[in-house]
Amino acid sequence: MMKKLVFFTLILSSQIAFSAISLTISENGFIDFGSMDPGGSEYTGGVYDYKKSTTVTFSVTAGTPFTFGVKANEFMGPASLPLESMSWQLTYAGGNMSVSPWYRHLYQEGVSYEPNIVKPTGYFSSNEQYIYDSSVHGFPATDSGAYQYQFLWHINIPNNQQAGNYMTTIMFTLTQ
Amino acid sequence: MNSKQLWIVTLLGLFLVGMASAATQQQSYVQVMLSVKSTFELSVDRNIVDFKSMNPGEVKMDMPDNEGIKVNVKSNNGRPWYLKISDQFELSNGEDVIPNNDFLWSGYASKAATGVWHGKGDDSFSLTPALAYAAGVNEYNNIPNGTDTYFKFGVKVPVKQNSGIYRSIIAFTLTE
């Protein structure tokens, strides 16, 4: 009976280890586009500036498929503001892995990419869009080191947008 | 292993299989804020109405032309707005005055306008702003094109009016 108990304890431990993934935003987790004119167009901070990038770091368990996606809530404000007005641009992808997923994808597999699977840039919607899908583009077999992605944000205000304050929440989701 | 132990082992096995197939998720959030600037503008397409030379007792209407002066209002505040008209002083030449009872305004809203025109035809000017047009609901935010209204003016020169050059200033007032 003791042997069985040890056996099941080991299995349970492996399952707990299996679920050890992490996702954190380490830089620029608050975006303020400031005051904008209707019809205006702005990058985060008003300019295309890498220093304004939001840094997202995540780690996964080696050998297991995972997805990394993004979506946003509808804007809250005095009137409707389409989510598609806001877009992301992936400015960097790398980290502790020997080859970063985006780098490998872009340079080792050629410049053509599946825009619905890996999206270096895209317009937001309330549905999750995968920025990286390991089942399509592979995953580290032995290296579970951290992935680091950096994003720059852009918004186009419709030229008939009602005045007022608007806010939303961008959600990154790591699933394994 | 008795039957009770067998059940426990089976249930534990099923639990672990369930865990193995369940996806683990991590989420992180980025807050986004922006402020859309207010537009609340009033513009006229002409700044002078010249009745030219008139005789005592003469009446001139529909000046400066049949279309009238175009007054455009733009707002994106999402609130009701009102266009009012007044003159800052009566038609005057020094001490000589043509009273506001003889200085008239009329007009109409463009076909696209959905608000209410409050002019009754040929209204006498007043020194306090009189309501000319109240916006329709879908004009509370009417940018980028705005709402067009047209104003025409008339003068009845009293039969005993002293000669001279008479001037006044017409004021359009936009309020919420």
Side-chain angles (χ1 to χ4, degrees):
Chain A
M1 190 62 188
M2 194 60 190
K3 283 182 180 174
K4 287 174 188 165
L5 188 62
V6 169
F7 174 69
F8 284 120
T9 303
L10 286 172
I11 292 177
L12 195 56
S13 300
S14 71
Q15 295 303 313
I16 290 166
F18 169 76
S19 63
I21 62 174
S22 69
L23 172 65
T24 57
I25 294 170
S26 52
E27 284 181 64
N28 297 316
F30 178 78
I31 301 162
D32 187 357
F33 285 103
S35 184
M36 296 182 65
D37 288 314
S41 173
E42 293 268 357
Y43 283 98
T44 315
V47 291
Y48 193 96
D49 183 356
Y50 289 96
K51 292 175 185 172
K52 303 288 184 183
S53 291
T54 297
T55 302
V56 182
T57 305
F58 63 87
S59 61
V60 294
T61 302
T64 307
F66 71 92
T67 58
F68 174 59
V70 68
K71 64 179 180 179
N73 291 327
E74 296 294 335
F75 274 100
M76 290 187 295
S80 171
L81 174 58
L83 264 186
E84 309 83 70
S85 305
M86 189 169 64
S87 62
W88 73 81
Q89 290 195 14
L90 191 57
T91 56
Y92 172 81
N96 295 335
M97 292 178 60
S98 55
V99 181
S100 74
W102 171 240
Y103 182 91
R104 177 175 60 201
H105 190 71
L106 185 63
Y107 295 102
Q108 294 191 350
E109 296 178 9
V111 293
S112 64
Y113 54 85
E114 296 278 352
N116 293 323
I117 304 299
V118 174
K119 285 194 161 184
T121 183
Y123 292 97
F124 275 95
S125 83
S126 55
N127 297 319
E128 186 178 27
Q129 298 179 76
Y130 290 158
I131 293 168
Y132 193 80
D133 184 347
S134 68
S135 66
V136 175
H137 296 101
F139 49 88
T142 57
D143 185 350
S144 60
Y147 290 65
Q148 190 180 72
Y149 281 21
Q150 289 181 334
F151 296 88
L152 210 54
W153 315 100
H154 184 258
I155 195 161
N156 279 313
I157 303 297
N159 64 0
N160 61 349
Q161 190 62 44
Q162 186 172 319
N165 297 322
Y166 295 82
M167 59 185 301
T168 185
T169 303
I170 294 170
M171 282 172 287
F172 290 106
T173 303
L174 178 65
T175 304
Q176 185 171 41
Chain B
M1 186 180 288
N2 61 33
S3 63
K4 192 177 177 183
Q5 287 173 323
L6 187 62
W7 270 110
I8 290 171
V9 169
T10 305
L11 286 172
L12 188 57
L14 287 171
F15 171 72
L16 291 174
V17 168
M19 273 192 71
S21 59
T24 304
Q25 244 181 26
Q26 291 275 322
Q27 286 191 318
S28 286
Y29 305 94
V30 174
Q31 297 296 322
V32 180
M33 287 190 71
L34 65 106
S35 174
V36 176
K37 291 178 186 172
S38 165
T39 299
F40 197 60
E41 295 174 356
L42 173 63
S43 63
V44 295
D45 70 345
R46 281 170 283 181
N47 297 103
I48 294 175
V49 180
D50 187 355
F51 284 85
K52 300 197 182 295
S53 184
M54 295 176 68
N55 292 315
E58 186 180 350
V59 176
K60 268 190 189 175
M61 305 300 289
D62 294 338
M63 294 294 286
D65 52 40
N66 205 39
E67 182 183 72
I69 286 179
K70 183 164 77 175
V71 179
N72 179 268
V73 174
K74 292 177 182 176
S75 172
N76 72 338
N77 289 344
R79 293 191 287 270
W81 54 262
Y82 306 92
L83 177 62
K84 299 176 181 179
I85 186 170
S86 61
D87 59 0
Q88 294 192 329
F89 48 87
E90 293 177 302
L91 284 163
S92 307
N93 176 31
E95 297 295 315
D96 295 331
V97 170
I98 297 175
N100 267 343
N101 279 343
D102 294 320
F103 189 24
L104 310 169
W105 64 270
S106 62
Y108 57 98
S110 69
K111 288 181 180 176
T114 59
V116 178
W117 179 261
H118 284 267
K120 296 178 181 67
D122 290 314
D123 294 279
S124 296
F125 268 96
S126 63
L127 299 179
T128 55
L131 182 61
Y133 182 80
V137 172
N138 62 356
E139 292 172 320
Y140 295 174
N141 176 8
N142 63 3
I143 60 168
N145 296 326
T147 299
D148 290 331
T149 55
Y150 297 85
F151 287 83
K152 296 186 283 188
F153 309 97
V155 171
K156 298 174 184 173
V157 180
V159 290
K160 291 189 174 181
Q161 192 66 39
N162 288 343
S163 63
I165 298 173
Y166 291 78
R167 294 184 178 87
S168 180
I169 296 176
I170 296 168
F172 295 100
T173 305
L174 182 60
T175 64
E176 284 186 334

